[in-house]
Each structure stands twice: as C-alpha cells, then as structure tokens.
Amino acid sequence: SSQSVDFTVNITDFDGTVDSVAIAWTDDTTLTPSQFPKYSMNLASGSTDEFEYTIPNKPNGTQVRYYIYAKDDDGNESYHPTKPLNQVQPNADFYFVRNGGAKVFDVQYTVNPSGASPLEGKIVTVKGIVTASTKLYDLGYLYIQDQGGSEWSGVWCVGIGLSNFFRDEEITVTGTVEEYFGLTRINASAATKTGNRAVITPTVIDPTDSAAYANFGWEKWEGVLARYEHPQAGQKLWISQENLGFGDYAVGASASASRSKSGMILAGRQSTTAYSSL
C-alpha cells in the first residue's frame, strides 16, 4: 500500500505515427471497462516509442483494473489486453494491493472465461492451510486454502517437498503458476511449515444451481474445500445419476433430478487428466 505502480510500454506504428496513448484504470469495482477514466501516457525522456504512467499507491486489499489504448494517424485503434473487433467493451487486466504478499486468491481469481490464472507462468510465494494432503489415507494430492477464505481461495499444489504436510497445517509454497487441463495449480520448488495451524470450514455449495454451473459460476470453487448441501435446510441429497462414466456420479435434490440440476462427484479415478481420491 506504500508503493505506486509504474507502467512502461513500447508502442509503434509500422506505416505512420502514433497519435495518442492512454491508460484507463480504476479502483471502483462498480465500473465497466468502457467507463474507466482515461489518462494520457507520456513519452519517456529521449525515447520515440516508450510511454510511461504511474498509478499512485492504494490501500491494502484494493483491486485496480486497467487497460492501455493507442491510436495512430490513420485512426486505427489498438488495445492491451486485446479487444476483438466485434467486441464493444474493452478487456481489462488487474492487480490487487497486498501488504502481506500474494494470497491464494490472487492466483485463482480470474475474469478470463477460460478460467486461466492471470499469474500463469509467474513464480509466486503464497501461504495457506492444508485442506488435503498427499498421504495414502487422504486425497493423495496437496491442496491449500487462504485462512478465512471462500471463493477463489483454494489451489492444487504439485512438485517437490510436498509429502510431509498434514491437514490443518499452515505452509508457505513457492512455485510456478500453471494451467493443467483447465486446472490452475502451483508447481512448487519449495514448501515449508510455518508452525501455525487452523481448521478450514467447508464452503457450502448448492448442487442444484444449474444456472451458476452453466454460466461458469463454479470456476470460483476450483480447489476450494466444499460441501454439497440440499438448498432446503435439513433435507438430504439423493444420488441422481448413478454412473456418469469413469467413476463419476451426481447428486441432486431428488433421485430423479436431471444432470443439469445435479452436482458431479469424481471418485476412484486417476488418469493423466483426472484426479480424485482412491
């Protein structure tokens, strides 16, 4: 929160000149990208194609969204992130201000429809509570979650040095953020215990919420310790689809609930692209 953020971009026009360059940014989460205030980017001293701008420091926890816009002498426009020609609204990148370093949330949170992490390919260090371990009596895979976190707060970890951790232990993981068959994970190069412990309370998910499922609304639960519950308190869930193939089945509010009104469970299956407890 004590640091400003410096942007430096190289912008050229191969058949003319660059007329104007601007950065549009906001910390107002209610605005759409087309509503972001725009600010001119100035040429760096002694440069012909290097433009600069500084976003001032913001309070801890602030999300800042931004995109960069340029126009040439022929009126052609260019954006970063790229804006498809048939898309009215610009796309935006973002960052979070964190005094205590990155959170798991910052690795998982995305506005990309593919679900890809904005930190893909970056080396990060995050701290989290172990919600599943590599032990034979557990999932066999390591997951960690932000303490007190819910949506976007859990992540799968692979790599070296992950076999000595138990559930409820707080650990620090350093590694590269990867996308693996649609799953965000951290490929760890180092992991250590902090000595702290905490219990993560499962996030309750309604398996009958077909609208959220169809609209990619469940992406935020990837890697999160979760619990399916009937939308009406006290009622039990039913196995609605006994065999979806490859060890998958589904649960819903009734035994006859359709697949679109049921939440899938993956059990007893391990392959190069699917991971569950045996």
Side-chain angles (χ1 to χ4, degrees):
S1 60
S2 63
Q3 294 177 317
S4 57
V5 176
D6 298 326
F7 287 80
T8 303
V9 295
N10 293 92
I11 302 178
T12 56
D13 182 38
F14 295 108
D15 61 358
T17 59
V18 177
D19 259 9
S20 61
V21 178
I23 183 171
W25 69 270
T26 185
D27 57 4
D28 185 342
T29 57
T30 67
L31 300 181
T32 63
S34 61
Q35 297 172 320
F36 290 6
K38 296 181 177 65
Y39 305 89
S40 294
M41 298 188 75
N42 299 318
L43 270 173
S45 178
S47 173
T48 59
D49 65 353
E50 192 172 277
F51 294 82
E52 298 177 327
Y53 185 82
T54 297
I55 294 180
N57 59 299
K58 293 291 175 179
N60 184 44
T62 301
Q63 182 191 22
V64 175
R65 293 177 294 152
Y66 64 89
Y67 64 87
I68 294 166
Y69 164 88
K71 187 184 243 185
D72 70 5
D73 57 330
D74 294 320
N76 299 311
E77 300 175 343
S78 184
Y79 291 82
H80 176 83
T82 302
K83 181 173 83 70
L85 291 175
N86 60 349
Q87 183 174 305
V88 176
Q89 190 89 230
N91 294 316
D93 274 337
F94 62 89
Y95 63 85
F96 286 92
V97 179
R98 303 290 189 202
N99 284 342
K103 293 185 176 184
V104 173
F105 181 99
D106 302 324
V107 174
Q108 278 286 18
Y109 180 81
T110 182
V111 294
N112 189 327
S114 72
S117 169
L119 298 180
E120 182 180 4
K122 306 293 185 183
I123 297 175
V124 299
T125 297
V126 295
K127 192 163 54 177
I129 306 299
V130 176
T131 56
S133 74
T134 62
K135 304 302 181 183
L136 292 176
Y137 50 80
D138 205 335
L139 284 186
Y141 306 101
L142 187 80
Y143 283 82
I144 62 173
Q145 189 165 326
D146 290 326
Q147 186 173 353
S150 181
E151 57 188 43
W152 306 109
S153 64
V155 70
W156 173 32
C157 299
V158 299
I160 62 173
L162 304 181
S163 61
N164 295 322
F165 305 123
F166 296 85
R167 288 197 185 210
D168 303 339
E169 290 184 322
E170 184 182 62
I171 66 173
T172 299
V173 177
T174 297
T176 304
V177 178
E178 299 178 338
E179 292 296 328
Y180 188 75
F181 291 96
L183 296 174
T184 301
R185 70 183 189 182
I186 298 176
N187 194 333
S189 57
T192 57
K193 299 179 183 182
T194 68
N196 299 324
R197 297 179 65 88
V199 176
I200 299 294
T201 301
T203 296
V204 175
I205 297 177
D206 175 6
T208 71
D209 188 358
S210 58
Y213 181 81
N215 291 291
F216 216 57
W218 283 11
E219 174 67 22
K220 61 189 176 184
W221 306 125
E222 179 185 285
V224 172
L225 181 63
R227 173 185 173 90
Y228 281 152
E229 284 189 6
H230 196 289
Q232 297 180 17
Q235 294 199 34
K236 295 181 178 180
L237 294 174
W238 294 74
I239 294 177
S240 55
Q241 307 285 320
E242 294 182 354
N243 183 6
L244 295 173
F246 306 102
D248 302 355
Y249 63 98
V251 295
S254 69
S256 58
S258 66
R259 175 64 188 90
S260 65
K261 289 284 189 179
S262 302
M264 189 175 74
I265 294 176
L266 172 63
R269 178 184 174 199
Q270 289 181 323
S271 68
T272 56
T273 59
Y275 299 86
S276 76
S277 172
L278 291 179

